[in-house]
């Protein structure tokens, strides 16, 4: 199927059409899981000319891929482990994402690393950053980022006045990049759909179709209707991250890949609570702690602890929050308190299990396995290197197909919204005048949608009321709520408040104050009744209440016990 020049939508009608094709068509590849790796596999396969469908049990990116530190980085700390190849690979991907693949979604961010020792630390850290910068130039890719620089304590305090003068001796500043992880995944999926992929959320893989030992497809439960369907495929790719072991059990046993989940917790605080013009990175006894600029907020994280409980919605405990506050406050002249915390979110890293009992020391490399004919498993890795993981998985698929499959080309395929982004950014004042929106609104939209901004502006042109801010979350326009449904596949209130927007973590009320308005905006395109609106709002309010309660518990077990089941 050739690519359409129009941007693919993932709205209700497109979901129904995709399900109909899944009932009647045999695909070259069915992908299980629509996090960043599954979305990347779908795009890689579709751009090689293969027929593809991707199914996700919940919302797109609802697991690990919406709960990360939201960084695109090489992994500076892996240099200490002498894992140069992993760092080089990640830095190469960082350059591609910044310059070619997603310049509208990935942007540079500076970090200041305070030094606490007088003699050995500056040359040690400096040597690592020289190597980090040098690896970033590998393969002839310009990084588009400044090199690192050394700062005295006085100079560091000018860029980060919030630092406690007595807590450090000087600093080094370097650059990496950041991304809205969930938005990136949705954009990946829309790009895959543009090249012919069929994409369906709330569609759970509950079993495999078999002919002898060979996997020939997937049994899928439509969680919106309760209908079960059989989707036939020549190859199946499991890209379910921390759920890899569960999918392996569906084919009869633990399989070749052993996973361990590591919980990472992040805090969100208002920007005015920390006076700094740069992000911060601090060394801890086990790993590193980031303070990351995030619009009008800071993201502080992360923890790194083994998690053995339910994987759908991991809980952050009081001890997790206290750990982060204690470590960041050691460097701040004005300490943060729990009252400063707007929101807390927790995610699970899918780590390849090894000999070490400490998750912070487990491998962040990835593995691709072919446990039985017709099934490819891909697991491990990190967000930054998703494209490499996807290409390796589709290479394994190609070996199982009796046809010639071209090599991966996703290093040269811009994501939806990338083409024309820079020209539109340069024209943002003109766009503001023609749309009647403030230029700050246009900048916000361009950095979320790129050249797809015109689709959002068309909604406002048809219904000017959508050009108003959401009451209680005025960083976002009402049009963005509707667009999340009509173009980006949102099916439930939490999908919009937690992933299509970030209202759930960017407001002290965590989305409760906007739940009614957002549900009413979603009701039109989704055909909700008044009762359905009420149910969606009640479900969301209950989840936030339980989330707050869990964050007052002392242990993982106590925190998890008060969380509701996640649909």
């Amino acid at each position: 199927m050739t690519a359409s020049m129009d941007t693919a939508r993932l709205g209700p009608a497109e979901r129904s059409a995709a399900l109909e094709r899944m009932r009647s068509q045999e695909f070259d590849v069915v992908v299980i899981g629509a996090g960043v790796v599954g979305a990347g596999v779908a795009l890689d396969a579709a751009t090689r000319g293969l027929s593809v469908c991707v199914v996700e049990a919940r919302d797109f990116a609802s697991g690990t891929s919406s709960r990360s530190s939201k960084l695109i980085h090489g992994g500076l700390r892996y240099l200490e482990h002498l894992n140069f190849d992993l760092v080089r690979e990640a830095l190469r991907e960082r350059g591609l994402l910044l310059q070619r693949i997603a310049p509208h979604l990935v942007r540079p961010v500076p970090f200041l690393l305070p030094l606490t020792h007088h003699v050995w630390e500056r040359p040690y850290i400096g040597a690592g950053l020289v190597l980090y910068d040098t690896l970033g130039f590998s393969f002839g890719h310009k990084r588009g980022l400044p090199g690192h620089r050394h700062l005295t304590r006085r100079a560091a305090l000018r860029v980060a006045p919030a630092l406690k003068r007595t807590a450090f001796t000087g600093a080094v500043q370097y650059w990496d990049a950041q991304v809205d992880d969930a938005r990136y995944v949705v954009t990946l999926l829309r790009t895959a759909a543009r090249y012919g992929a069929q994409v369906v959320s709330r569609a759970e893989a509950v079993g495999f179709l078999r002919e002898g030992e060979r996997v020939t497809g997937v049994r899928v439960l439509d969680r919106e209707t309760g209908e079960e369907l059989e989707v036939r495929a020549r190859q199946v790719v499991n890209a379910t991250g921390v759920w890899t072991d569960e999918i392996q059990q569906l084919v009869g046993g633990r399989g070749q890949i052993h996973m361990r989940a590591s919980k990472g917790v992040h805090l969100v605080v208002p920007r005015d609570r920390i006076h700094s013009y740069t992000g911060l990175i601090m060394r801890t006894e086990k790993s590193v702690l980031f303070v990351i600029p995030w619009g009008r907020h800071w993201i502080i994280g992360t923890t790194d602890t083994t998690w053995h409980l339910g994987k759908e919605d991991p809980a952050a405990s009081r001890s997790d929050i206290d750990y982060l506050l204690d470590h960041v406050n050691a460097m701040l002249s004005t300490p943060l308190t729990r009252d400063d915390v707007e929101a807390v979110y927790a995610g699970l890293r899918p780590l390849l299990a090894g000999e070490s009992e400490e998750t912070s020391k487990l491998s962040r490399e990835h593995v691709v396995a072919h446990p039985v004919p017709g099934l490819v498993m891909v697991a491990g890795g990190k967000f930054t290197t998703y494209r490499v993981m996807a290409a390796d998985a589709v290479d394994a698929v190609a070996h199982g197909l009796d046809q010639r499959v071209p090599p991966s080309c996703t290093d040269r395929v811009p994501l939806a919204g990338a083409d024309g982004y820079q020209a539109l950014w340069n024209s943002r004042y003109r766009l503001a005048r023609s749309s009647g929106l403030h230029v700050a609104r246009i900048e916000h939209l361009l950095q979320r949608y790129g050249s797809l901004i015109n689709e959002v502006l068309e909604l406002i042109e048809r219904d000017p009321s959508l050009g108003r801010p959401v009451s209680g979350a005025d960083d976002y326009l009402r049009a963005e709520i509707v667009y999340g449904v009509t173009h980006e596949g949102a099916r439930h209130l939490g999908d919009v408040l937690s992933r299509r927007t970030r209202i759930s973590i960017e407001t002290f009320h965590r989305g409760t104050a906007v739940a009614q308005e957002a549900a009413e905006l979603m009701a039109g395109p989704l055909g909700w009744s008044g009762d359905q609106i009420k149910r969606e709002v009640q479900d969301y309010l209950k989840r936030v209440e339980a989330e707050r309660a869990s964050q007052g518990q002392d242990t993982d077990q106590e925190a998890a016990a008060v969380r509701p089941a996640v649909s």
Side-chain angles (χ1 to χ4, degrees):
M1 183 179 293
T2 58
S4 167
M5 293 304 292
D6 297 323
T7 303
R9 294 165 56 138
L10 298 178
E14 289 75 22
R15 182 180 188 274
S16 297
L19 285 167
E20 190 56 42
R21 291 190 183 95
M22 287 163 57
R23 293 184 187 95
S24 59
Q25 178 179 339
E26 181 183 44
F27 294 88
D28 293 324
V29 189
V30 169
V31 183
I32 305 173
V36 71
V37 176
V41 171
L43 178 59
D44 192 283
T47 53
R48 297 199 204 191
L50 301 177
S51 59
V52 189
C53 80
V54 54
V55 294
E56 164 59 47
R58 298 187 296 153
D59 184 28
F60 306 134
S62 56
T64 304
S65 294
S66 61
R67 303 161 186 246
S68 73
S69 297
K70 311 188 190 328
L71 293 177
I72 298 295
H73 65 127
L76 184 60
R77 69 188 178 99
Y78 301 125
L79 290 179
E80 285 193 292
H81 303 157
L82 305 182
N83 200 334
F84 303 126
D85 288 341
L86 178 63
V87 175
R88 180 188 293 111
E89 180 180 81
L91 290 174
R92 176 180 185 269
E93 293 303 305
R94 184 189 69 179
L96 286 170
L97 295 174
L98 275 166
Q99 296 172 55
R100 182 184 302 168
I101 295 175
H104 57 314
L105 301 176
V106 180
R107 55 192 55 91
V109 60
F111 286 101
L112 190 75
L113 198 164
L115 305 174
T116 57
H117 297 85
H118 278 286
V119 180
W120 62 270
E121 191 175 21
R122 189 180 289 278
Y124 178 72
I125 296 295
L129 284 167
V130 167
L131 181 57
Y132 197 65
D133 287 345
T134 302
L135 291 173
F137 282 107
S138 298
F139 306 103
H141 288 279
K142 294 181 180 178
R143 296 176 302 113
L145 298 176
H148 74 282
R149 60 177 184 145
H150 288 265
L151 300 175
T152 64
R153 180 163 57 186
R154 179 178 295 179
L157 286 167
R158 282 199 292 269
V159 296
L163 290 176
K164 187 190 300 181
R165 175 180 289 274
T166 57
F168 71 110
T169 61
V172 184
Q173 188 174 51
Y174 74 100
W175 290 74
D176 256 321
Q178 69 178 163
V179 69
D180 183 328
D181 46 10
R183 172 144 302 284
Y184 191 93
V185 173
V186 169
T187 307
L188 259 180
L189 290 165
R190 292 187 66 187
T191 310
R194 174 189 284 180
Y195 288 94
Q198 307 301 312
V199 182
V200 181
S201 68
R202 309 285 173 178
E204 181 178 4
V206 294
F208 289 102
L209 307 180
R210 307 288 286 267
E211 290 182 6
E213 280 297 300
R214 184 173 188 83
V215 169
T216 58
V218 183
R219 287 191 295 110
V220 173
L221 174 67
D222 181 352
R223 297 179 66 175
E224 298 288 84
T225 65
E227 178 192 3
E228 191 171 299
L229 57 151
E230 296 185 346
V231 185
R232 292 172 292 118
R234 299 168 67 197
Q235 293 279 301
V236 175
V237 176
N238 174 30
T240 53
V242 293
W243 287 273
T244 295
D245 287 349
E246 286 81 349
I247 297 296
Q248 286 184 136
Q249 289 170 6
L250 293 179
V251 289
R254 189 167 166 77
Q256 299 180 10
I257 300 177
H258 296 199
M259 303 300 299
R260 187 178 299 175
S262 165
K263 184 177 70 167
V265 174
H266 296 80
L267 312 181
V268 183
V269 302
R271 193 66 176 265
D272 63 5
R273 301 306 197 270
I274 301 175
H275 186 193
S276 179
Y277 305 101
T278 176
L280 304 172
I281 177 173
M282 307 166 189
R283 294 166 65 87
T284 69
E285 63 275 9
K286 289 186 177 181
S287 183
V288 294
L289 182 74
F290 287 99
V291 180
I292 305 161
W294 184 256
R296 297 200 291 178
H297 317 268
W298 297 100
I299 293 175
I300 301 170
T302 179
T303 61
D304 196 343
T305 55
T306 300
W307 180 262
H308 297 295
L309 302 171
K311 297 175 180 177
E312 287 78 11
D313 199 12
S317 66
R318 179 196 298 273
S319 58
D320 292 323
I321 297 168
D322 289 343
Y323 170 88
L324 293 172
L325 289 175
D326 289 346
H327 279 78
V328 74
N329 283 340
M331 278 288 173
L332 298 180
S333 57
T334 303
L336 298 171
T337 70
R338 287 180 68 95
D339 290 339
D340 294 316
V341 177
E342 291 176 282
V344 183
Y345 67 91
L348 299 177
R349 301 177 192 86
L351 302 180
L352 299 175
E355 298 299 322
S356 171
E357 290 302 311
E358 294 186 48
T359 56
S360 60
K361 295 181 180 177
L362 294 183
S363 174
R364 295 309 303 270
E365 296 183 3
H366 68 274
V367 64
V368 176
H370 224 317
V372 296
L375 177 64
V376 171
M377 317 284 281
V378 55
K382 47 190 286 199
F383 197 107
T384 303
T385 56
Y386 82 88
R387 197 193 61 79
V388 178
M389 296 174 66
D392 288 348
V394 180
D395 285 345
V397 164
H399 284 296
L401 296 174
D402 56 353
Q403 68 185 72
R404 189 177 183 87
V405 178
S408 176
C409 64
T410 52
D411 60 339
R412 302 181 299 280
V413 176
L415 298 193
D419 286 338
Y421 162 69
Q422 190 60 56
L424 284 170
W425 180 261
N426 294 342
S427 305
R428 60 194 184 278
Y429 290 95
R430 178 183 56 78
L431 271 176
R433 287 192 298 271
S434 62
S435 66
L437 298 174
H438 192 279
V439 68
R441 293 281 182 199
I442 294 296
E443 290 176 350
H444 161 90
L445 294 173
L446 282 169
Q447 291 183 331
R448 284 169 52 75
Y449 307 101
S451 56
L452 304 183
I453 187 175
N454 291 319
E455 295 178 342
V456 181
L457 296 178
E458 285 171 9
L459 291 177
I460 296 171
E461 189 175 353
R462 289 200 295 270
D463 180 358
S465 72
L466 297 181
R468 298 200 307 266
V470 177
S471 302
D474 60 4
D475 281 350
Y476 296 93
L477 297 178
R478 287 160 53 89
E480 295 178 80
I481 305 294
V482 175
Y483 188 82
V485 175
T486 58
H487 290 72
E488 297 179 336
R491 303 286 303 173
H492 294 280
L493 183 56
D495 300 349
V496 161
L497 297 184
S498 298
R499 288 170 290 277
R500 303 310 182 277
T501 72
R502 292 301 191 162
I503 292 171
S504 67
I505 64 170
E506 293 176 350
T507 55
F508 277 103
H509 57 73
R510 303 193 185 184
T512 58
V514 306
Q516 183 69 32
E517 181 180 3
E520 290 171 357
L521 287 166
M522 296 175 69
L526 285 170
W528 287 349
S529 65
D531 287 343
Q532 179 67 23
I533 292 173
K534 186 177 180 180
R535 282 195 299 273
E536 290 284 337
V537 172
Q538 289 177 340
D539 287 349
Y540 186 81
L541 297 183
K542 287 177 182 176
R543 286 190 58 188
V544 173
E545 182 182 3
E547 179 184 86
R548 291 184 186 276
S550 71
Q551 290 159 13
Q553 307 301 311
D554 290 327
T555 68
D556 285 349
Q557 290 77 10
E558 292 168 341
V562 300
R563 297 299 288 266
V566 178
S567 62

